[in-house]
């Protein structure tokens, strides 16, 4: 899956490593068992999108090449995952275009919500995206919002030290 990493480009390797770490965070059982995130393909995509968005916020204005490498690793991984799910070659491009649209829309929404000090917008964005409009207990949404806000405010690039 990550065969392209055999190149000597250190940014690609570093970007793929950061992306893999975001996937590990996104798969933390706590999100699904305690915070009510749906344990589905869509729920996992939402958590990956949230974590990658938070990472890209950390990289914004700091290291554009690394941010691009993280995104490249994500698109390669998602392409492979779609194919593993049995999506035919003729439909992969259409599905990837939809995933890209969904990801960038969510990234913009999370960014706007995180810039707002009021947690209501962030919680609403999380309910709409992560929970597909059906929120679990309000405490679960509030905990996920606090988690996202904590990571967004962290001065550390190494966000997996602070997470889950």
């Amino acid at each position: 899956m990550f065969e392209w990493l055999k190149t000597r480009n250190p940014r690609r390797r570093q970007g793929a490593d950061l992306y893999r770490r975001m996937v590990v965070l996104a798969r933390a059982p706590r999100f699904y068992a305690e915070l009510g995130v749906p344990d589905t393909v869509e729920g996992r995509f939402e958590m990956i999108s949230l974590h990658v968005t938070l990472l890209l916020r950390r990289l914004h204005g700091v290291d554009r090449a690394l941010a691009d490498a993280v995104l490249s690793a994500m698109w390669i991984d998602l392409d492979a995952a779609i194919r593993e799910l049995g999506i035919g070659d003729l439909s992969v491009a259409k599905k990837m275009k939809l995933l890209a649209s969904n990801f960038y829309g969510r990234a913009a929404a999370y960014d706007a919500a995180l810039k707002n000090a009021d947690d209501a917008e962030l919680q609403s964005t999380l309910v709409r995206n992560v929970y597909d409009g059906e929120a679990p207990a309000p405490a679960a949404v509030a905990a996920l919002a606090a988690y996202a806000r904590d990571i967004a405010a962290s001065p550390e690039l190494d966000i997996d030290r602070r997470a889950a």
Side-chain angles (χ1 to χ4, degrees):
M1 165 174 33
F2 288 99
E3 291 299 315
W4 59 277
L5 287 175
K6 293 182 180 176
T7 66
R8 294 184 181 198
N9 185 334
R11 281 288 183 244
R12 280 188 172 179
R13 285 190 299 274
Q14 189 178 12
D17 179 56
L18 284 171
Y19 170 71
R20 272 187 245 132
R21 288 168 40 200
M22 295 307 99
V23 170
V24 168
L25 287 174
R27 290 181 176 167
R30 169 181 174 230
F31 297 123
Y32 307 94
E34 296 173 25
L35 301 183
V37 174
D39 194 3
T40 61
V41 171
E42 293 82 10
R44 288 176 182 254
F45 171 76
E46 295 299 340
M47 291 309 294
I48 290 170
S49 294
L50 176 62
H51 283 87
V52 169
T53 296
L54 292 169
L55 174 64
L56 294 176
R57 284 181 55 114
R58 306 299 318 141
L59 293 173
H60 181 73
V62 175
D63 194 332
R64 179 68 184 175
L66 185 55
D68 289 345
V70 169
L71 285 171
S72 291
M74 182 177 77
W75 297 128
I76 289 168
D77 183 48
L78 290 176
D79 182 273
I82 287 171
R83 292 173 192 278
E84 286 178 13
L85 288 172
I87 304 294
D89 286 341
L90 297 176
S91 300
V92 170
K94 183 177 176 182
K95 187 70 171 173
M96 288 298 293
K97 186 175 180 180
L98 178 62
L99 287 175
S101 174
N102 289 344
F103 172 77
Y104 289 113
R106 282 153 175 76
Y110 290 136
D111 190 53
L114 287 164
K115 287 179 182 174
N116 188 341
D118 180 18
D119 269 350
E121 183 180 352
L122 179 57
Q123 289 181 20
S124 173
T125 302
L126 290 168
V127 168
R128 186 175 58 251
N129 295 316
V130 173
Y131 298 105
D132 198 23
E134 297 180 29
V141 179
L144 185 57
Y147 168 84
R149 196 167 293 283
D150 183 49
I151 290 175
S154 170
E156 299 172 13
L157 176 58
D158 207 6
I159 68 175
D160 54 344
R161 281 194 227 160
R162 302 178 55 82

